[in-house]
Amino acid sequence: MKILIVDDEKALCDSLSLYLKKRGHEVVTAQDFKTADEALLINKFDLIFLDYRLSSQHTGRDLLIHARKLNVASSIAMMSAYKTRDNSLEMINLGAQFYLSKPFKLVEIDRILEQVSESS
Amino acid sequence: MKKAGHRHTLIFILWAAAVYLFYFLQLRTIEFYEYSQKAALSKHFLRDFYFYGSFATTVIFGVLLLWFFMCAERRVYSERLKNHRITVLEKFSSHIAHEIRNPLTSLSLNAELVGQSADQLEGPRAEELQKLTGDIINDVARLTEATEHYLDFRNKSNRNETFEIRPLLEHLIEEMHSEAEPKSIHVLLKLHPQTSVILRGNSDRFLLAMKCLIKNAVEAMPQGGFLVFEGVRRFRKFILRIKDTGVGITHDNMERLFEPFFTTKLKGVGLGLCLVKQVSEEFGAAVRVKSTLGKGTAFQITFPLVK
């Protein structure tokens, strides 16, 4: 699968990218809205890991709305430092398929990868 | 406080002016009529009575008024200070939770990746690495739980739904059984089967508050005991009591119970009861506590009902 990781935390991008590459996936990382937007225009991703907060100027929520407007067909997994029922429902209504609460474990990543490959 | 002082002085002056105006009007009234000898004597007596009487009244009522407004101002000031502290705490909690949880994520992932690499090794070196990564992962879980307390406190919700309280409490008690039984804690729900209780607010926050109270109650009963949820309707209110037969709370601690970061435990952030108070306020409810050392503690939350 081709996977995009969007998070302003470089260490998190590196760790998650390392794991996904070990699993045999192609990975692109982005740490801000602009880089992520450019990546979305050039590539077709199967799965996007997207940080809910991202930055003060453009949040992950903004990018999610933007991606859906661009008719990006990828499955989207939102990552957040504090998951609540309110923002989970909001993200699902905006088009995210999965919601991860930070810090998350590799087994949760595996579950998402399995569901995405089954659906594709 | 300076503005309050000026206001008090002004009120005092206005009050004094009103009383003296009354005095002068009375004096003019008396002077208006023709008096007999008896009335002339009375006139002086009345004049003195009015003069000293109104002076004394002015002083007494002025002092009382000033005292009343100073108490009210002190209450308002103290409330504003408390709200300011809570706003700062909320911002601090949010900031610290996000600034900790993000690096915790990469720390946790890296520990797991090292553990996976260690699995491919053999011998004591592999075991040592697995133990070390296991310890890192456990500490990450501890820190995550600690930040959870901060975020729970910060995360007020505007969600305004109506919900029936009974199924929530029944589900909560059922969840508790597996944890309570090994500790010899008996959990009971005393709510009349015919009683239907519908509240307005965020049901998740309600459950969060209940879990905080349960946690405290369980910790107060290391030798086991009873934890009772008792609910009764009274006019347009629902009174929920959470009673335990634990060690109780000292009088000194009672006054500080709902203060942020106040805790008597070795481990703990000290935001649990502060959160309970915050959630109660979100519901428009009042929370009170009674405790007897050696006998137990009862938290009482009075909720307004939705019809």
Side-chain angles (χ1 to χ4, degrees), chain B residues 12 15-16 19 52-68:
Chain B
F12 184 86
W15 179 266
V19 171
Y52 292 113
S54 61
F55 183 74
T57 309
T58 306
V59 169
I60 292 166
F61 276 98
V63 166
L64 282 173
L65 204 63
L66 203 64
W67 176 78
F68 171 76

Side-chain angles (χ1 to χ4, degrees), chain A residues 7 9 11-12 15-16 18-19 22 51 53 81-86 101-107 109, chain B residues 98 101-102 104-106 108-110 112-113 116-117 137 140 144 148 151-152 155 157 159 161 203-204:
Chain A
D7 199 308
E9 290 279 332
L12 192 152
S15 305
L16 190 51
L18 178 66
Y19 178 68
K22 272 179 142 184
D51 179 39
R53 214 174 163 201
Y82 190 55
K83 183 179 170 184
T84 64
R85 188 150 59 111
D86 290 342
S101 185
K102 290 179 180 178
F104 45 80
K105 296 214 154 70
L106 292 175
V107 67
I109 303 293
Chain B
H98 282 101
R101 280 199 163 191
N102 275 316
L104 274 182
T105 310
S106 45
S108 172
L109 289 176
N110 288 340
E112 283 196 88
L113 288 169
Q116 283 184 354
S117 299
I137 291 167
V140 165
T144 307
E148 197 87 28
L151 285 171
D152 285 343
N155 196 44
S157 171
R159 187 150 41 100
E161 57 190 3
S203 55
D204 290 340

Side-chain angles (χ1 to χ4, degrees), chain B residues 164-171 189 191-197:
Chain B
E164 169 73 59
I165 206 175
R166 182 192 295 278
L168 283 185
L169 288 176
E170 283 172 349
H171 180 70
L189 175 63
L191 188 61
H192 196 277
Q194 303 300 323
T195 307
S196 166
V197 180

Side-chain angles (χ1 to χ4, degrees), chain B residues 42-285:
Chain B
S42 299
K43 188 174 120 182
H44 289 298
F45 168 74
L46 275 171
R47 194 170 61 190
D48 289 344
F49 175 76
Y50 272 114
F51 179 78
Y52 292 113
S54 61
F55 183 74
T57 309
T58 306
V59 169
I60 292 166
F61 276 98
V63 166
L64 282 173
L65 204 63
L66 203 64
W67 176 78
F68 171 76
F69 277 107
M70 281 183 74
C71 285
E73 278 295 320
R74 201 173 292 135
R75 261 200 311 275
V76 165
Y77 177 73
S78 151
E79 198 62 38
R80 268 193 212 141
L81 190 63
K82 197 172 69 178
N83 288 339
H84 174 70
R85 270 197 214 127
I86 286 175
T87 306
V88 166
L89 176 63
E90 284 171 4
K91 285 184 181 163
F92 170 78
S93 299
S94 171
H95 180 76
I96 203 135
H98 282 101
E99 292 305 307
I100 290 175
R101 280 199 163 191
N102 275 316
L104 274 182
T105 310
S106 45
L107 185 60
S108 172
L109 289 176
N110 288 340
E112 283 196 88
L113 288 169
V114 169
Q116 283 184 354
S117 299
D119 285 342
Q120 290 162 15
L121 300 172
E122 281 173 12
R125 187 90 183 115
E127 282 173 25
E128 191 190 352
L129 272 174
Q130 278 159 6
K131 189 199 172 295
L132 290 171
T133 54
D135 288 344
I136 292 172
I137 291 167
N138 286 341
D139 282 341
V140 165
R142 262 185 65 199
L143 282 167
T144 307
E145 198 188 325
T147 58
E148 197 87 28
H149 291 296
Y150 287 101
L151 285 171
D152 285 343
F153 183 74
R154 176 204 73 93
N155 196 44
K156 284 191 220 179
S157 171
N158 295 324
R159 187 150 41 100
N160 200 7
E161 57 190 3
T162 54
F163 60 93
E164 169 73 59
I165 206 175
R166 182 192 295 278
L168 283 185
L169 288 176
E170 283 172 349
H171 180 70
L172 195 62
I173 288 166
E174 204 180 297
E175 266 185 359
M176 265 199 74
H177 272 128
S178 54
E179 194 192 325
E181 260 175 64
K183 295 178 183 174
S184 307
I185 295 174
H186 305 280
V187 187
L188 303 164
L189 175 63
K190 286 184 179 176
L191 188 61
H192 196 277
Q194 303 300 323
T195 307
S196 166
V197 180
I198 296 174
L199 301 182
R200 183 182 293 282
N202 187 324
S203 55
D204 290 340
R205 298 278 286 171
F206 172 79
L207 280 173
L208 198 58
M210 292 299 110
K211 283 177 183 171
C212 285
L213 290 171
I214 289 168
K215 188 168 177 277
N216 282 350
V218 166
E219 284 170 1
M221 295 186 284
Q223 312 295 332
F226 286 88
L227 175 58
V228 181
F229 288 81
E230 196 177 68
V232 63
R233 279 181 78 126
R234 200 159 286 166
F235 306 111
R236 296 287 300 269
K237 306 267 183 199
F238 175 69
I239 300 171
L240 179 66
R241 285 189 197 96
I242 300 101
K243 299 195 280 195
D244 67 61
T245 53
V247 297
I249 305 168
T250 63
H251 178 73
D252 289 340
N253 288 342
M254 284 280 276
E255 288 173 4
R256 303 185 61 195
L257 222 50
F258 297 106
E259 257 181 44
F261 302 116
F262 174 73
T263 179
T264 55
K265 300 169 197 167
L266 289 169
K267 285 182 188 178
V269 174
L271 284 178
L273 289 178
C274 193
L275 177 74
V276 168
K277 186 159 186 272
Q278 189 187 55
V279 172
S280 302
E281 283 165 6
E282 287 167 25
F283 277 85

Side-chain angles (χ1 to χ4, degrees), chain A residues 24-36:
Chain A
H25 303 290
E26 195 184 332
V27 182
V28 173
T29 61
Q31 286 172 265
D32 53 64
F33 185 99
K34 189 166 172 261
T35 315

